[in-house]
Amino acid sequence: MDPVEYEMLRHMWFPVARVADLKDGVVGGALLGEELVVYGDGRNVTVAEGFCPHRGVALRLGRTRDGALECPYHGWLFAEGSGRCTRVPSLLPGKSRPHAALRTYPARTAYGLVWSCLAEPFLPAPGLPAGVDDTWQLAAGEPYTLNCGMRQLTENFRDKAHFPFVHADTMGDVSQVVDAYRITRDGWQLGWSSSLGSESVPDEFAAEFSHRLDYHITLPMFASIRVSSPSGGRRLVAQMATPLTADGLRVRQFWLVGVDAAAAAGGAGLADVLAYERQVFEEDHPIVENQRPVEAPLDLHSQVHTAADKFSITFRRVYGELLESFKGRS
């Protein structure tokens, strides 16, 4: 990974854990080669360096006590928020504690996920597209760890041309021709709309989940599709790619689904939507893990493009502009 891109990504918000995975109030995470520990009750969370400053044990093995993180090795307690050591059980009464604290990072929860960044945020935390509000039901799926680049995974998510070849089992008989489309841009957000006939989705989803597809991407990696049916029901699937390693070639795919009130009333249960989208993602994984180069190149002349790749071309160009904007920050 280019050093400028690495530094830029340190200043970006990424999901690092799923709230549902806070076992005993603790779960491990990683971002750009940094091992992290996440602890809290799901409403108030702390993201901190992943190893105890005393003897270096992995704090993801610990648990919480009254909101503080307890090291599993010697029971040292680290306060929520500050990461400051508040108790060393082995000390005799009256003995002062060492001045120890965990390095902490910005933390927030949204959509069932814990988000963090390694340095002062360069951009605001990304959000779901307009129209997805508190009336929707949302659920975060179980994350995947993949050997591919962040941009590679993000481009795959919006590549409609691969549907009839990769997703024939889940989407059925989809047209191989991609109609012309227009891309909209608002700052570091991109979008475009398309359509998919009801014959292209499983029978149990056909009535609720046809036909309009509204794609939305907030750079660098938050992508979503909102699917609207003629009856008014809408569902959402969103994907976030978190670079786990410093070279960016190993990522964690976080994802979530949602349904609006009309879709839920029509029988679109979150469990069924999660199962369907899980199958779609798992059809993609052998593809994204077997591409070369492992990361989508920003050099637009290094690969062959067609009209169907208009979004990928725009995404790469705007990503390059984001890098330049970061380099030129005051």
mmCIF file with all atom_site columns, all heavy atoms in Angstrom, residues 16 27-31 34-38 47-51 60 105 116 118:
data_model
loop_
_atom_site.group_PDB
_atom_site.id
_atom_site.type_symbol
_atom_site.label_atom_id
_atom_site.label_alt_id
_atom_site.label_comp_id
_atom_site.label_asym_id
_atom_site.label_entity_id
_atom_site.label_seq_id
_atom_site.pdbx_PDB_ins_code
_atom_site.Cartn_x
_atom_site.Cartn_y
_atom_site.Cartn_z
_atom_site.occupancy
_atom_site.B_iso_or_equiv
_atom_site.pdbx_formal_charge
_atom_site.auth_seq_id
_atom_site.auth_comp_id
_atom_site.auth_asym_id
_atom_site.auth_atom_id
_atom_site.pdbx_PDB_model_num
ATOM 1   N N   . VAL A 1 16  ? -14.944 -2.065  13.292 1.00 0.00 ? 16  VAL A N   1
ATOM 2   C CA  . VAL A 1 16  ? -13.898 -2.957  13.800 1.00 0.00 ? 16  VAL A CA  1
ATOM 3   C C   . VAL A 1 16  ? -14.478 -4.151  14.547 1.00 0.00 ? 16  VAL A C   1
ATOM 4   O O   . VAL A 1 16  ? -13.755 -5.096  14.868 1.00 0.00 ? 16  VAL A O   1
ATOM 5   C CB  . VAL A 1 16  ? -12.906 -2.204  14.710 1.00 0.00 ? 16  VAL A CB  1
ATOM 6   C CG1 . VAL A 1 16  ? -12.137 -1.165  13.902 1.00 0.00 ? 16  VAL A CG1 1
ATOM 7   C CG2 . VAL A 1 16  ? -13.609 -1.545  15.893 1.00 0.00 ? 16  VAL A CG2 1
ATOM 8   N N   . VAL A 1 27  ? -14.483 -7.895  22.766 1.00 0.00 ? 27  VAL A N   1
ATOM 9   C CA  . VAL A 1 27  ? -14.243 -8.564  21.495 1.00 0.00 ? 27  VAL A CA  1
ATOM 10  C C   . VAL A 1 27  ? -12.969 -7.974  20.891 1.00 0.00 ? 27  VAL A C   1
ATOM 11  O O   . VAL A 1 27  ? -12.637 -6.812  21.126 1.00 0.00 ? 27  VAL A O   1
ATOM 12  C CB  . VAL A 1 27  ? -15.447 -8.389  20.526 1.00 0.00 ? 27  VAL A CB  1
ATOM 13  C CG1 . VAL A 1 27  ? -15.631 -6.943  20.113 1.00 0.00 ? 27  VAL A CG1 1
ATOM 14  C CG2 . VAL A 1 27  ? -15.311 -9.284  19.309 1.00 0.00 ? 27  VAL A CG2 1
ATOM 15  N N   . GLY A 1 28  ? -12.244 -8.780  20.143 1.00 0.00 ? 28  GLY A N   1
ATOM 16  C CA  . GLY A 1 28  ? -11.041 -8.306  19.479 1.00 0.00 ? 28  GLY A CA  1
ATOM 17  C C   . GLY A 1 28  ? -11.353 -7.678  18.142 1.00 0.00 ? 28  GLY A C   1
ATOM 18  O O   . GLY A 1 28  ? -12.423 -7.879  17.555 1.00 0.00 ? 28  GLY A O   1
ATOM 19  N N   . GLY A 1 29  ? -10.422 -6.901  17.631 1.00 0.00 ? 29  GLY A N   1
ATOM 20  C CA  . GLY A 1 29  ? -10.549 -6.292  16.321 1.00 0.00 ? 29  GLY A CA  1
ATOM 21  C C   . GLY A 1 29  ? -9.172  -5.994  15.766 1.00 0.00 ? 29  GLY A C   1
ATOM 22  O O   . GLY A 1 29  ? -8.153  -6.214  16.432 1.00 0.00 ? 29  GLY A O   1
ATOM 23  N N   . ALA A 1 30  ? -9.129  -5.505  14.551 1.00 0.00 ? 30  ALA A N   1
ATOM 24  C CA  . ALA A 1 30  ? -7.861  -5.132  13.927 1.00 0.00 ? 30  ALA A CA  1
ATOM 25  C C   . ALA A 1 30  ? -8.129  -4.061  12.891 1.00 0.00 ? 30  ALA A C   1
ATOM 26  O O   . ALA A 1 30  ? -9.208  -4.023  12.276 1.00 0.00 ? 30  ALA A O   1
ATOM 27  C CB  . ALA A 1 30  ? -7.180  -6.333  13.290 1.00 0.00 ? 30  ALA A CB  1
ATOM 28  N N   . LEU A 1 31  ? -7.148  -3.193  12.681 1.00 0.00 ? 31  LEU A N   1
ATOM 29  C CA  . LEU A 1 31  ? -7.253  -2.141  11.683 1.00 0.00 ? 31  LEU A CA  1
ATOM 30  C C   . LEU A 1 31  ? -5.852  -1.739  11.251 1.00 0.00 ? 31  LEU A C   1
ATOM 31  O O   . LEU A 1 31  ? -5.037  -1.302  12.071 1.00 0.00 ? 31  LEU A O   1
ATOM 32  C CB  . LEU A 1 31  ? -8.010  -0.938  12.259 1.00 0.00 ? 31  LEU A CB  1
ATOM 33  C CG  . LEU A 1 31  ? -8.222  0.265   11.338 1.00 0.00 ? 31  LEU A CG  1
ATOM 34  C CD1 . LEU A 1 31  ? -8.930  -0.134  10.051 1.00 0.00 ? 31  LEU A CD1 1
ATOM 35  C CD2 . LEU A 1 31  ? -9.036  1.340   12.064 1.00 0.00 ? 31  LEU A CD2 1
ATOM 36  N N   . GLU A 1 34  ? -2.943  -2.890  13.302 1.00 0.00 ? 34  GLU A N   1
ATOM 37  C CA  . GLU A 1 34  ? -3.041  -2.643  14.743 1.00 0.00 ? 34  GLU A CA  1
ATOM 38  C C   . GLU A 1 34  ? -4.067  -3.594  15.352 1.00 0.00 ? 34  GLU A C   1
ATOM 39  O O   . GLU A 1 34  ? -5.223  -3.616  14.933 1.00 0.00 ? 34  GLU A O   1
ATOM 40  C CB  . GLU A 1 34  ? -3.460  -1.194  15.013 1.00 0.00 ? 34  GLU A CB  1
ATOM 41  C CG  . GLU A 1 34  ? -2.511  -0.146  14.474 1.00 0.00 ? 34  GLU A CG  1
ATOM 42  C CD  . GLU A 1 34  ? -1.234  -0.043  15.289 1.00 0.00 ? 34  GLU A CD  1
ATOM 43  O OE1 . GLU A 1 34  ? -1.229  -0.495  16.442 1.00 0.00 ? 34  GLU A OE1 1
ATOM 44  O OE2 . GLU A 1 34  ? -0.252  0.498   14.757 1.00 0.00 ? 34  GLU A OE2 1
ATOM 45  N N   . GLU A 1 35  ? -3.617  -4.390  16.351 1.00 0.00 ? 35  GLU A N   1
ATOM 46  C CA  . GLU A 1 35  ? -4.544  -5.245  17.080 1.00 0.00 ? 35  GLU A CA  1
ATOM 47  C C   . GLU A 1 35  ? -5.298  -4.398  18.101 1.00 0.00 ? 35  GLU A C   1
ATOM 48  O O   . GLU A 1 35  ? -4.694  -3.600  18.837 1.00 0.00 ? 35  GLU A O   1
ATOM 49  C CB  . GLU A 1 35  ? -3.792  -6.372  17.788 1.00 0.00 ? 35  GLU A CB  1
ATOM 50  C CG  . GLU A 1 35  ? -3.137  -7.366  16.845 1.00 0.00 ? 35  GLU A CG  1
ATOM 51  C CD  . GLU A 1 35  ? -4.140  -8.157  16.027 1.00 0.00 ? 35  GLU A CD  1
ATOM 52  O OE1 . GLU A 1 35  ? -5.237  -8.461  16.559 1.00 0.00 ? 35  GLU A OE1 1
ATOM 53  O OE2 . GLU A 1 35  ? -3.851  -8.459  14.853 1.00 0.00 ? 35  GLU A OE2 1
ATOM 54  N N   . LEU A 1 36  ? -6.612  -4.561  18.155 1.00 0.00 ? 36  LEU A N   1
ATOM 55  C CA  . LEU A 1 36  ? -7.463  -3.743  19.003 1.00 0.00 ? 36  LEU A CA  1
ATOM 56  C C   . LEU A 1 36  ? -8.289  -4.609  19.941 1.00 0.00 ? 36  LEU A C   1
ATOM 57  O O   . LEU A 1 36  ? -8.529  -5.788  19.677 1.00 0.00 ? 36  LEU A O   1
ATOM 58  C CB  . LEU A 1 36  ? -8.416  -2.899  18.142 1.00 0.00 ? 36  LEU A CB  1
ATOM 59  C CG  . LEU A 1 36  ? -7.782  -2.001  17.074 1.00 0.00 ? 36  LEU A CG  1
ATOM 60  C CD1 . LEU A 1 36  ? -8.866  -1.389  16.208 1.00 0.00 ? 36  LEU A CD1 1
ATOM 61  C CD2 . LEU A 1 36  ? -6.923  -0.925  17.713 1.00 0.00 ? 36  LEU A CD2 1
ATOM 62  N N   . VAL A 1 37  ? -8.727  -4.000  21.021 1.00 0.00 ? 37  VAL A N   1
ATOM 63  C CA  . VAL A 1 37  ? -9.719  -4.611  21.893 1.00 0.00 ? 37  VAL A CA  1
ATOM 64  C C   . VAL A 1 37  ? -10.880 -3.637  22.005 1.00 0.00 ? 37  VAL A C   1
ATOM 65  O O   . VAL A 1 37  ? -10.693 -2.421  22.109 1.00 0.00 ? 37  VAL A O   1
ATOM 66  C CB  . VAL A 1 37  ? -9.145  -4.962  23.286 1.00 0.00 ? 37  VAL A CB  1
ATOM 67  C CG1 . VAL A 1 37  ? -8.688  -3.715  24.036 1.00 0.00 ? 37  VAL A CG1 1
ATOM 68  C CG2 . VAL A 1 37  ? -10.161 -5.752  24.106 1.00 0.00 ? 37  VAL A CG2 1
ATOM 69  N N   . VAL A 1 38  ? -12.078 -4.171  21.933 1.00 0.00 ? 38  VAL A N   1
ATOM 70  C CA  . VAL A 1 38  ? -13.299 -3.378  22.081 1.00 0.00 ? 38  VAL A CA  1
ATOM 71  C C   . VAL A 1 38  ? -13.994 -3.865  23.334 1.00 0.00 ? 38  VAL A C   1
ATOM 72  O O   . VAL A 1 38  ? -14.209 -5.067  23.509 1.00 0.00 ? 38  VAL A O   1
ATOM 73  C CB  . VAL A 1 38  ? -14.225 -3.554  20.859 1.00 0.00 ? 38  VAL A CB  1
ATOM 74  C CG1 . VAL A 1 38  ? -15.492 -2.722  21.024 1.00 0.00 ? 38  VAL A CG1 1
ATOM 75  C CG2 . VAL A 1 38  ? -13.495 -3.190  19.569 1.00 0.00 ? 38  VAL A CG2 1
ATOM 76  N N   . VAL A 1 47  ? -12.561 1.573   22.382 1.00 0.00 ? 47  VAL A N   1
ATOM 77  C CA  . VAL A 1 47  ? -11.651 0.871   21.476 1.00 0.00 ? 47  VAL A CA  1
ATOM 78  C C   . VAL A 1 47  ? -10.237 1.231   21.901 1.00 0.00 ? 47  VAL A C   1
ATOM 79  O O   . VAL A 1 47  ? -9.896  2.416   22.027 1.00 0.00 ? 47  VAL A O   1
ATOM 80  C CB  . VAL A 1 47  ? -11.898 1.273   20.012 1.00 0.00 ? 47  VAL A CB  1
ATOM 81  C CG1 . VAL A 1 47  ? -10.884 0.575   19.097 1.00 0.00 ? 47  VAL A CG1 1
ATOM 82  C CG2 . VAL A 1 47  ? -13.320 0.928   19.585 1.00 0.00 ? 47  VAL A CG2 1
ATOM 83  N N   . ALA A 1 48  ? -9.412  0.206   22.142 1.00 0.00 ? 48  ALA A N   1
ATOM 84  C CA  . ALA A 1 48  ? -8.075  0.443   22.682 1.00 0.00 ? 48  ALA A CA  1
ATOM 85  C C   . ALA A 1 48  ? -7.074  -0.522  22.066 1.00 0.00 ? 48  ALA A C   1
ATOM 86  O O   . ALA A 1 48  ? -7.445  -1.483  21.375 1.00 0.00 ? 48  ALA A O   1
ATOM 87  C CB  . ALA A 1 48  ? -8.088  0.289   24.206 1.00 0.00 ? 48  ALA A CB  1
ATOM 88  N N   . GLU A 1 49  ? -5.787  -0.247  22.323 1.00 0.00 ? 49  GLU A N   1
ATOM 89  C CA  . GLU A 1 49  ? -4.744  -1.179  21.892 1.00 0.00 ? 49  GLU A CA  1
ATOM 90  C C   . GLU A 1 49  ? -5.032  -2.555  22.477 1.00 0.00 ? 49  GLU A C   1
ATOM 91  O O   . GLU A 1 49  ? -5.567  -2.686  23.573 1.00 0.00 ? 49  GLU A O   1
ATOM 92  C CB  . GLU A 1 49  ? -3.377  -0.684  22.333 1.00 0.00 ? 49  GLU A CB  1
ATOM 93  C CG  . GLU A 1 49  ? -3.196  -0.550  23.839 1.00 0.00 ? 49  GLU A CG  1
ATOM 94  C CD  . GLU A 1 49  ? -1.814  -0.064  24.219 1.00 0.00 ? 49  GLU A CD  1
ATOM 95  O OE1 . GLU A 1 49  ? -0.828  -0.693  23.797 1.00 0.00 ? 49  GLU A OE1 1
ATOM 96  O OE2 . GLU A 1 49  ? -1.716  0.957   24.924 1.00 0.00 ? 49  GLU A OE2 1
ATOM 97  N N   . GLY A 1 50  ? -4.636  -3.598  21.746 1.00 0.00 ? 50  GLY A N   1
ATOM 98  C CA  . GLY A 1 50  ? -5.114  -4.922  22.064 1.00 0.00 ? 50  GLY A CA  1
ATOM 99  C C   . GLY A 1 50  ? -4.326  -5.721  23.082 1.00 0.00 ? 50  GLY A C   1
ATOM 100 O O   . GLY A 1 50  ? -4.721  -6.849  23.401 1.00 0.00 ? 50  GLY A O   1
ATOM 101 N N   . PHE A 1 51  ? -3.218  -5.179  23.632 1.00 0.00 ? 51  PHE A N   1
ATOM 102 C CA  . PHE A 1 51  ? -2.374  -5.961  24.520 1.00 0.00 ? 51  PHE A CA  1
ATOM 103 C C   . PHE A 1 51  ? -2.106  -5.203  25.820 1.00 0.00 ? 51  PHE A C   1
ATOM 104 O O   . PHE A 1 51  ? -1.930  -3.979  25.823 1.00 0.00 ? 51  PHE A O   1
ATOM 105 C CB  . PHE A 1 51  ? -1.057  -6.324  23.833 1.00 0.00 ? 51  PHE A CB  1
ATOM 106 C CG  . PHE A 1 51  ? -1.255  -7.158  22.593 1.00 0.00 ? 51  PHE A CG  1
ATOM 107 C CD1 . PHE A 1 51  ? -1.289  -6.558  21.340 1.00 0.00 ? 51  PHE A CD1 1
ATOM 108 C CD2 . PHE A 1 51  ? -1.451  -8.521  22.682 1.00 0.00 ? 51  PHE A CD2 1
ATOM 109 C CE1 . PHE A 1 51  ? -1.491  -7.317  20.197 1.00 0.00 ? 51  PHE A CE1 1
ATOM 110 C CE2 . PHE A 1 51  ? -1.659  -9.288  21.549 1.00 0.00 ? 51  PHE A CE2 1
ATOM 111 C CZ  . PHE A 1 51  ? -1.676  -8.690  20.302 1.00 0.00 ? 51  PHE A CZ  1
ATOM 112 N N   . ARG A 1 60  ? -8.325  -9.239  24.331 1.00 0.00 ? 60  ARG A N   1
ATOM 113 C CA  . ARG A 1 60  ? -9.584  -9.786  23.825 1.00 0.00 ? 60  ARG A CA  1
ATOM 114 C C   . ARG A 1 60  ? -10.019 -11.009 24.618 1.00 0.00 ? 60  ARG A C   1
ATOM 115 O O   . ARG A 1 60  ? -11.176 -11.441 24.553 1.00 0.00 ? 60  ARG A O   1
ATOM 116 C CB  . ARG A 1 60  ? -9.456  -10.138 22.341 1.00 0.00 ? 60  ARG A CB  1
ATOM 117 C CG  . ARG A 1 60  ? -8.550  -11.318 22.055 1.00 0.00 ? 60  ARG A CG  1
ATOM 118 C CD  . ARG A 1 60  ? -8.486  -11.669 20.582 1.00 0.00 ? 60  ARG A CD  1
ATOM 119 N NE  . ARG A 1 60  ? -7.680  -12.859 20.341 1.00 0.00 ? 60  ARG A NE  1
ATOM 120 C CZ  . ARG A 1 60  ? -6.373  -12.876 20.233 1.00 0.00 ? 60  ARG A CZ  1
ATOM 121 N NH1 . ARG A 1 60  ? -5.690  -11.742 20.319 1.00 0.00 ? 60  ARG A NH1 1
ATOM 122 N NH2 . ARG A 1 60  ? -5.715  -14.011 20.034 1.00 0.00 ? 60  ARG A NH2 1
ATOM 123 N N   . TYR A 1 105 ? -8.734  4.849   21.125 1.00 0.00 ? 105 TYR A N   1
ATOM 124 C CA  . TYR A 1 105 ? -9.019  5.424   19.816 1.00 0.00 ? 105 TYR A CA  1
ATOM 125 C C   . TYR A 1 105 ? -10.462 5.922   19.785 1.00 0.00 ? 105 TYR A C   1
ATOM 126 O O   . TYR A 1 105 ? -11.285 5.493   20.598 1.00 0.00 ? 105 TYR A O   1
ATOM 127 C CB  . TYR A 1 105 ? -8.804  4.374   18.727 1.00 0.00 ? 105 TYR A CB  1
ATOM 128 C CG  . TYR A 1 105 ? -7.389  3.828   18.683 1.00 0.00 ? 105 TYR A CG  1
ATOM 129 C CD1 . TYR A 1 105 ? -7.061  2.624   19.295 1.00 0.00 ? 105 TYR A CD1 1
ATOM 130 C CD2 . TYR A 1 105 ? -6.376  4.533   18.043 1.00 0.00 ? 105 TYR A CD2 1
ATOM 131 C CE1 . TYR A 1 105 ? -5.761  2.125   19.264 1.00 0.00 ? 105 TYR A CE1 1
ATOM 132 C CE2 . TYR A 1 105 ? -5.073  4.047   18.005 1.00 0.00 ? 105 TYR A CE2 1
ATOM 133 C CZ  . TYR A 1 105 ? -4.778  2.846   18.619 1.00 0.00 ? 105 TYR A CZ  1
ATOM 134 O OH  . TYR A 1 105 ? -3.486  2.363   18.588 1.00 0.00 ? 105 TYR A OH  1
ATOM 135 N N   . SER A 1 116 ? -14.284 2.745   14.508 1.00 0.00 ? 116 SER A N   1
ATOM 136 C CA  . SER A 1 116 ? -13.146 3.432   15.083 1.00 0.00 ? 116 SER A CA  1
ATOM 137 C C   . SER A 1 116 ? -12.227 3.915   13.969 1.00 0.00 ? 116 SER A C   1
ATOM 138 O O   . SER A 1 116 ? -12.421 3.589   12.788 1.00 0.00 ? 116 SER A O   1
ATOM 139 C CB  . SER A 1 116 ? -12.372 2.523   16.043 1.00 0.00 ? 116 SER A CB  1
ATOM 140 O OG  . SER A 1 116 ? -11.381 3.238   16.753 1.00 0.00 ? 116 SER A OG  1
ATOM 141 N N   . LEU A 1 118 ? -7.758  5.222   13.632 1.00 0.00 ? 118 LEU A N   1
ATOM 142 C CA  . LEU A 1 118 ? -6.489  5.224   14.362 1.00 0.00 ? 118 LEU A CA  1
ATOM 143 C C   . LEU A 1 118 ? -5.928  6.620   14.588 1.00 0.00 ? 118 LEU A C   1
ATOM 144 O O   . LEU A 1 118 ? -4.964  6.785   15.349 1.00 0.00 ? 118 LEU A O   1
ATOM 145 C CB  . LEU A 1 118 ? -5.465  4.373   13.614 1.00 0.00 ? 118 LEU A CB  1
ATOM 146 C CG  . LEU A 1 118 ? -5.835  2.896   13.432 1.00 0.00 ? 118 LEU A CG  1
ATOM 147 C CD1 . LEU A 1 118 ? -4.726  2.170   12.665 1.00 0.00 ? 118 LEU A CD1 1
ATOM 148 C CD2 . LEU A 1 118 ? -6.109  2.213   14.760 1.00 0.00 ? 118 LEU A CD2 1
#
